[in-house]
Each structure stands twice: as C-alpha cells, then as structure tokens.
Amino acid sequence: MQTALIIGYVWPEPNSSAAGRRILDLIDALQAGGIAVHFACAASPTEHQCDLRALNVTTHAIALNCDSVDRWVAELAPDVVVFDRFVTEEQFGWRVSSAAPNALRVLDTEDFHSLRAARELALKRALAGNPSADVGAITVGNAELYELMREDDRLLRELAAIFRCDVSLMISSFEVTLLQEYCQVPPQLLYHLPFTVDQPAMTYPDFAAREHFVSIGNFRHRPNWDAVLWLKQHVWPAIRQQLPRAELHIYGAYPPPKATALHNKRQGFLVKGWADDALTVVAQHKVLLAPLRVGAGIKGKLLDAMLTGTPSVTTDIGAEGMCGECQWPGAIANDSKALAAQAVSLYQDESQWRLAANACGPLLAKHYSRADLGPKLVTVLRERHLNLNAWRRDNILGALFNFHSIRSTEFMSRWIEVKSRLNKAD
C-alpha cells in the first residue's frame, strides 16, 4: 500500500475545528507508515485552511457531479481512499468504486451525525415553549436515543455509507457500541480511532500563575453555540454569584453577531472570538468550561485542556467516550447548579485542582498516544487491503448497498452532469 487519497468535505482548518485536527491525525498516521498522501476537495478554499503542501501532501481541487473525477481517480490509482464524513462518501463513493475498484474504501465518520441530531431533537422538544429554560444535558438512555435517531433518514444514509465501505473509523467508543447493539453493524466494519496526540513537551503554568475561566469551540458547530447560550443564561450567573471577580473568556472560530452581542464586561462574560493558538489560550486559565447539552464524537476542546494540564468541567455528553476507566481530569455534572458548584470548587481549591491537572498526562498516554495508535491503524489498513476480495465477499450487506442503494445518488449526479452540459450548449 503506497498511495492514499483523502477526499475532504472541506479544506481542513485544524485551528478552527476538531474535524480539521482529525484530518491531520490521519495524514500523519499514513505518512508515518510510508504512504504518500493526496488530499482532494470540492469545497472552496478558505483563508484559515491548513497549508497541506507544507506537510508534503499533494492537493487537488475537484468538482462535484463531474466525470473528470472518474478519470483522475483512475489515473492516480490509490491503494486506499478515505472519505471525510458520510456525505462525501455519498458524493464520491460510487465514482471511486468504479474508477479504482481495488482501492480500500475507508469512511472517517468524524462523529455519528445521527446521534448528534437525535440529541438536538430531544433538546428542542425539552425547550419547546421556553427556549431559555434551564434544561440540563440530554442524557437519555441508548434505547430512547435509537428511537429518536430513527425519526430522521440521516441514520439510514449513515448506515448505508458504513456498509458500503470496507471499514469505518469511529472516534468514540460509545458510538461503536451504539452501532453494534442497536444498528446491527458487524464489529469488523468499525475501527475505534480517537484523536492522536504526542505527550506534552513543555511545562504549562501552575495554579498560582493562572486566572479566570475559558470556553472554546467553533461557533458554527451547533452544540458549541448551545453551550454558550446555556453558559450565558444559567451556568455562568451561578458561578459569578460565588466568584464576583472571575471572568469567562469565550474563544472560537467564526463568531456570528449574535455571539459577539453576548459580550458583557460587567458580567465578566467576554466573547473573544478567534484564538491564534488554542493551547496557549487554554493554558492561561484555571478551568475550562464545556457545558455541552448535546453533541457526539469526542471533544477537541477537552483534549486541549488535557494537553495543557487544565482541569475541565463538562457534562456526560462532553466526557462521553473520552476517558474509559481513567479518572476524569476535572468534574462532570449535568445541570447548571452542579456544574457551577464543581467549577467554583476547582477554581478555589488548589489541592483539588492539582489532582485534576495531574490526571491529564496518564489519560493522554493511555488513550490518545500517537506513537501507539498511528502504526496500529496503518497495520489494520494494510491487512484489510491485502485481503480485500475475501473481505468484500464476506460483507454481504456491503455488496447489497453498493449494488442497490448507491444507484440513486449516482443517477442524480449523472442527471445534474448532463443538465449542466445542455445548459452550456444553449
């Protein structure tokens, strides 16, 4: 296996979102395994995108609904193709299947979108009639989650993409369990791969050198925006009542006017916007707040807290799939009063703070080691590629979805392609 092609949903912005960081994790693992990486994307470039060429990645701008992609993929002849999110597999999976039939097809789910949508639906219903009500984290059981997921055809689309691919990379162990137990996805189709990091190489400020609280997250991501609103309306007022001089510094990419309008210096609620370096910013603060009521996957902001030895206060949604049997480096609570109490306690109690800060390193080493996880991923991909024909023969549902379900997206794309040609001819 010598050549890998990653087809991106967008051009990666690792300083803006965890999704961008995830792409760089995959690139690093593939390159460390001696595999040349190409990255292709149909989205428009952005001013904040990573310079992939500086990372020795060959980049390609491609078009949607255009057979030029077929010819280009056939010429490249990649050994493995990674689809960034299920919608990208829907758009390009059938083209790759035809143009490079011997390429291992890998779906990087980023997170389980159906799960996130189900929790957002549950929150919407809980807030119906009173959008500013103090509703806590959505912690319904797996059976109820599955029923909520079934209300949206996104679940079927995601499952079809998972079955069509040879392996799907899952960032959260919780999502692996949900897919196996409720969606009947065979374990061999799923591979658990969290974020990968190197152990911190520098010492970050100690308790006495830090001050204030921090929250960080891309404002375009709905769970992050909901967390900011919950902070503003309920969690932060409860903290501020006990710590009247404390400030909350809120950072995140793409802050909309509705977010900057929440800035209130008198309340200590400071919307800072973009962070040039998330780790440097987080390391200046005593406690990171991540009161996530909804969401899926695992959270880059909480990983940043661990990397900087910063205790974090979050919900079960935030911590989901992140620590296994390890001690959480901070506190977990699911309602505003409990979150505030835990945050104040960590902020004031130096011994409690140190225990949480010291728990970061062991957790990172056990669950997120780049040196351990990267080579294991490449080994799995090589073995599966080597036995690809037998693997696909045994994946009968994958064959079924590739034979039937894929046809609608293919023919819609071909129709758009023909229509475009006719319009140009006119």
Side-chain angles (χ1 to χ4, degrees):
M1 198 162 69
Q2 298 178 328
T3 305
L5 167 63
I6 300 175
I7 304 181
Y9 177 66
V10 293
W11 295 95
E13 295 185 12
N15 292 328
S16 302
S17 70
R21 166 188 278 172
R22 171 67 161 189
I23 291 296
L24 295 197
D25 281 354
L26 296 179
I27 290 172
D28 180 83
L30 292 167
Q31 289 181 331
I35 301 168
V37 178
H38 294 250
F39 187 92
C41 187
S44 300
T46 71
E47 62 177 310
H48 302 288
Q49 71 186 51
C50 176
D51 183 2
L52 293 177
R53 294 181 183 180
L55 301 177
N56 295 318
V57 175
T58 305
T59 60
H60 310 267
I62 56 176
L64 288 171
N65 307 309
C66 182
D67 61 8
S68 63
V69 175
D70 306 25
R71 296 190 295 272
W72 172 71
V73 170
E75 292 173 3
L76 181 65
D79 299 298
V80 56
V81 178
V82 180
F83 302 102
D84 173 25
R85 285 166 264 202
F86 79 94
V87 291
T88 304
E89 191 279 336
E90 287 181 332
Q91 293 164 337
F92 295 101
W94 61 272
R95 292 188 182 276
V96 169
S97 178
S98 176
N102 296 321
L104 182 73
R105 297 192 294 274
V106 179
L107 173 62
D108 182 36
T109 58
E110 294 284 358
D111 63 33
F112 196 8
H113 294 69
S114 306
L115 171 61
R116 173 154 41 91
R119 286 172 170 156
E120 289 173 357
L121 176 61
L123 179 62
K124 181 180 178 180
R125 289 174 176 172
L127 293 172
N130 186 4
S132 60
D134 190 8
V135 173
I138 301 300
T139 56
V140 299
N142 289 2
E144 186 176 347
L145 273 178
Y146 177 66
E147 290 303 317
L148 288 166
M149 289 161 64
R150 286 299 307 268
E151 295 188 35
D152 191 332
D153 66 3
R154 185 169 5 200
L155 172 62
L156 302 181
R157 292 171 58 196
E158 279 193 281
L159 289 175
I162 287 171
F163 277 109
R164 283 194 295 263
C165 289
D166 300 305
V167 63
S168 290
L169 307 180
M170 306 301 301
I171 203 165
S172 166
S173 57
F174 174 81
E175 294 172 5
V176 172
T177 300
L178 195 65
L179 281 165
Q180 290 179 11
E181 293 184 356
Y182 286 88
C183 301
Q184 290 80 53
V185 178
Q188 60 268 28
L189 282 181
L190 306 173
Y191 185 80
H192 178 218
L193 181 71
F195 290 121
T196 64
V197 300
D198 298 313
Q199 285 295 102
M202 61 181 293
T203 302
Y204 285 96
D206 203 358
F207 179 85
R210 300 179 184 228
E211 61 178 348
H212 302 313
F213 295 86
V214 65
S215 181
I216 190 167
N218 191 318
F219 284 96
R220 289 180 173 175
H221 190 56
R222 281 185 292 183
N224 291 339
W225 171 238
D226 175 74
V228 170
L229 288 177
W230 196 29
L231 276 167
K232 176 71 173 182
Q233 295 165 354
H234 300 287
V235 180
W236 182 245
I239 294 173
R240 180 79 166 182
Q241 187 175 16
Q242 300 174 70
L243 300 172
R245 294 186 179 180
E247 296 175 357
L248 172 58
H249 299 170
I250 299 177
Y251 292 85
Y254 300 105
K258 64 181 180 180
T260 54
L262 299 178
H263 182 94
N264 189 311
K265 189 173 183 179
R266 182 177 58 83
Q267 298 173 351
F269 195 89
L270 309 180
V271 180
K272 300 279 190 172
W274 288 84
D276 292 332
D277 186 321
L279 294 180
T280 299
V281 165
V282 171
Q284 297 169 355
H285 298 81
K286 274 188 179 172
V287 178
L288 180 137
L289 301 178
L292 294 158
R293 295 194 287 189
V294 293
I298 62 175
K299 317 305 182 292
K301 60 180 71 61
L302 294 170
L303 201 65
D304 288 341
M306 296 178 206
L307 285 166
T308 58
T310 306
S312 59
V313 178
T314 189
T315 63
D316 280 323
I317 302 297
E320 184 176 87
M322 289 202 72
C323 67
E325 71 284 2
C326 292
Q327 174 188 346
W328 183 257
I332 298 171
N334 292 313
D335 64 78
S336 61
K337 291 182 180 179
L339 283 163
Q342 294 285 5
V344 170
S345 181
L346 271 170
Y347 194 86
Q348 293 182 314
D349 188 332
E350 183 173 352
S351 62
Q352 183 185 354
W353 187 94
R354 288 186 183 280
L355 283 173
N358 291 337
C360 294
L363 196 159
L364 289 172
K366 185 171 182 62
H367 293 290
Y368 300 96
S369 170
R370 189 188 309 276
D372 179 45
L373 295 172
K376 286 182 178 178
L377 170 65
V378 173
T379 297
V380 167
L381 296 182
R382 288 190 184 280
E383 290 177 351
R384 197 151 296 187
H385 183 258
L386 189 63
N387 300 290
L388 191 55
N389 290 335
W391 179 258
R392 288 179 177 170
R393 186 177 61 248
D394 292 339
N395 181 15
I396 186 63
L397 284 178
L400 173 65
F401 279 106
N402 275 298
F403 180 74
H404 244 318
S405 299
I406 205 169
R407 308 305 287 177
S408 61
T409 54
E410 174 185 350
F411 291 135
M412 174 60 74
S413 183
R414 291 194 183 281
W415 179 80
I416 293 172
E417 187 177 330
V418 171
K419 184 178 179 182
S420 297
R421 288 176 182 168
L422 292 174
N423 288 340
K424 289 179 181 179
D426 291 342

